[in-house]
Amino acid sequence: LWSGRTGPMPRGPRMALEPPTERAGKETRTALFPPAPNPATDGARISFTLAAPCRANLSIYDCAGRKVATVLDRSLGAGRHTADYTRGLRGLSSGLYFVRLEAGEDAATSKIVVAR
């Protein structure tokens, strides 16, 4: 993970972390929403939108940058999607984790706290 100690934050494709705008009933950009509930105890709902059909990978990382779970890894159509994730959170220790969405050329990260 970027610590800021070795220079400026790396540049790359970005995704919105705020809700997408809607135009004629269709969402117009890819976005990752904050997991709910947060903090989570047994499970969490992770919602996101895709601007276009693509392969989406939704994973959870610990603070050391190690992948601890893959929530979703498959091709999805454009629009809003929700992943209900319970199985993997039950095996995690209390602490801060990061949810990362990689969709096509875009990527976004959101925080989730696991509390026991």
Side-chain angles (χ1 to χ4, degrees):
L1 297 173
W2 177 78
S3 67
R5 287 182 251 171
T6 59
M9 186 171 190
R11 296 265 180 208
R14 294 185 182 191
M15 288 178 35
L17 293 178
E18 67 275 356
T21 58
E22 291 189 21
R23 185 177 300 155
K26 292 191 174 187
E27 290 156 350
T28 58
R29 64 180 181 193
T30 301
L32 174 63
F33 298 91
N38 197 2
T41 54
D42 292 325
R45 176 171 286 172
I46 305 165
S47 297
F48 58 95
T49 58
L50 300 176
C54 65
R55 181 159 197 91
N57 179 287
L58 192 61
S59 298
I60 299 177
Y61 293 84
D62 65 12
C63 287
R66 295 178 296 241
K67 184 188 288 189
V68 295
T70 299
V71 178
L72 175 128
D73 186 18
R74 65 176 185 242
S75 294
L76 296 171
R80 188 172 182 120
H81 302 276
T82 300
D84 288 317
Y85 192 64
T86 56
R87 178 180 43 87
L89 285 184
R90 291 185 183 139
L92 297 178
S93 300
S94 295
L96 176 66
Y97 294 86
F98 298 91
V99 177
R100 180 156 177 89
L101 173 65
E102 295 176 352
E105 295 181 8
D106 297 321
T109 304
S110 185
K111 296 176 186 175
I112 186 168
V113 174
V114 174
R116 300 282 173 227

